[in-house]
Amino acid sequence: MLFACDDVPDTSSAVAPRQCTSLKRPPVPIPAGTHLLGDTRFYPEEGPVIEVTVTAFDIDAHEVSNREFAEFVAATQYVTRAERGLPEAVYDDLPAGMRRPGSAVFQPPTVKQATSLMSWWTFVEGASWKAPKGPGSSIEGMDHYPVVHIAFEDAQAYAAWRGRRLPTETEWEVAARGGLIGAAYAWGESPPDQTDPAPANTWQGLFPYVNQASDGYSGTAPVGCYSPNAYGLFDMTGNVWEWTADTYVPRRTTVDSNAAPDIGTIKGGSYLCADNFCQRYRPAARQSQERLFSASHIGFRTVSVSNH
């Protein structure tokens, strides 16, 4: 099936959105082998560089899309965490309004506004995977965009329905590197703003004020619009952060018996990563995320033991 990457054109950009290639693609086999993971050139939590050995597995060629998640919901009547709200027993320290059904939505400030990290994000009551900006918004015409506002348990439920699971952080990073040894980026050593055409959906311009959208998109882009890595995987960096199965620890070699089980590890960066702020559009990048929370820039993909 063919579809255009401009299913829902981004009218804020003067650049014509690129064309996507055919979907739906089968999972991509990743062979067993030994790999170098981590990086010491960017953020401290990415180090040290370590050698790991993985057994063969396969991984979704792209992030789970709205259409794929909708099929799951139609088949199971599943209700996401954002649609249910946060449990009072766990978050009794939060105001009741913050526990209501809803999710975090990025809202860029104007140049004249004084800003802080927290001011870029707003809890929008009623925001969910099918209403990504809150009540009145929808995913109509966005079948091929990555599903967002997904909490960890939602991603797990979808994966189990498909007879699959979430990738470990190691599996995710091995897949994202595409066989490149020690490269800073999924495509090599050149930063995304020095690569033409754009290799990933990232923020072009001064974050959080100006997104030049020189790749045709100022928000998320449909899956599969950017060049795949050497394994044939799309959007492993940029577009949306992706859940992994692992509990977050400050350094990847740490064995921490006190690690909080409600804090997970997300990988890959998103369309909000920019050269002047979040340089996490790289395979080694990693970030902590509360597993019960969701946001407009977090999605996922799934893996399985490979039969190849």
Side-chain angles (χ1 to χ4, degrees):
M1 175 174 57
L2 297 176
F3 75 98
C5 192
D6 55 357
D7 287 340
V8 180
D10 187 333
T11 55
S12 68
S13 171
V15 179
R18 63 184 68 206
Q19 296 293 307
C20 292
T21 52
S22 62
L23 291 178
K24 177 179 177 178
R25 298 180 181 85
V28 174
I30 308 298
T34 300
H35 304 264
L36 291 178
L37 303 186
D39 207 317
T40 58
R41 293 170 287 182
F42 296 89
Y43 297 103
E45 70 272 12
E46 298 172 13
V49 175
I50 59 174
E51 185 176 87
V52 299
T53 299
V54 297
T55 58
F57 63 97
D58 65 53
I59 185 167
D60 294 340
H62 53 75
E63 309 106 324
V64 173
S65 68
N66 284 322
R67 184 178 68 177
E68 290 170 320
F69 198 78
E71 291 171 351
F72 159 62
V73 170
T76 64
Q77 306 307 305
Y78 183 84
V79 180
T80 63
R81 173 54 64 184
E83 295 170 281
R84 284 178 281 145
L86 296 175
E88 183 177 0
V90 178
Y91 291 97
D92 58 356
D93 57 331
L94 285 180
M98 292 293 289
R99 295 196 302 269
R100 294 185 184 128
S103 190
V105 177
F106 176 74
Q107 298 183 339
T110 67
V111 174
K112 295 181 181 180
Q113 289 177 307
T115 67
S116 66
L117 177 61
M118 294 306 296
S119 70
W120 307 334
W121 291 94
T122 301
F123 176 81
V124 176
E125 195 169 335
S128 71
W129 74 275
K130 57 188 176 183
K133 295 183 179 180
S137 65
S138 78
I139 56 171
E140 183 178 357
M142 299 179 68
D143 281 357
H144 302 294
Y145 281 68
V147 66
V148 293
H149 295 296
I150 297 298
F152 179 75
E153 64 191 55
D154 306 328
Q156 281 190 311
Y158 172 91
W161 175 71
R162 286 190 58 195
R164 296 171 66 78
R165 60 177 171 81
L166 295 180
T168 65
E169 180 178 3
T170 293
E171 288 171 332
W172 192 99
E173 188 170 332
V174 165
R177 288 184 175 277
L180 294 181
I181 300 173
Y185 304 95
W187 51 86
E189 294 296 343
S190 298
D193 60 350
Q194 297 177 21
T195 305
D196 187 27
N201 183 16
T202 63
W203 184 284
Q204 297 97 44
L206 181 64
F207 184 87
Y209 299 105
V210 179
N211 189 349
Q212 298 166 343
S214 56
D215 62 356
Y217 285 90
S218 62
T220 59
V223 300
C225 289
Y226 297 79
S227 296
N229 71 6
Y231 284 153
L233 298 170
F234 295 83
D235 303 316
M236 289 301 290
T237 55
N239 215 15
V240 296
W241 284 96
E242 299 182 18
W243 285 108
T244 70
D246 290 358
T247 300
Y248 183 81
V249 291
R251 288 173 69 83
R252 61 179 68 231
T253 55
T254 302
V255 178
D256 189 352
S257 60
N258 296 316
D262 58 340
I263 306 296
T265 304
I266 54 176
K267 296 281 285 182
S270 77
Y271 69 93
L272 298 176
C273 285
D275 186 59
N276 72 294
F277 177 65
C278 166
Q279 296 179 338
R280 288 186 166 88
Y281 33 60
R282 294 172 293 100
R286 52 199 304 271
Q287 187 161 290
S288 62
Q289 175 68 28
E290 281 201 70
R291 284 174 163 168
L292 281 177
F293 280 96
S294 58
S296 57
H297 69 333
I298 300 177
F300 71 106
R301 72 182 74 205
T302 68
V303 302
S304 180
V305 174
S306 179
N307 294 319
H308 298 271

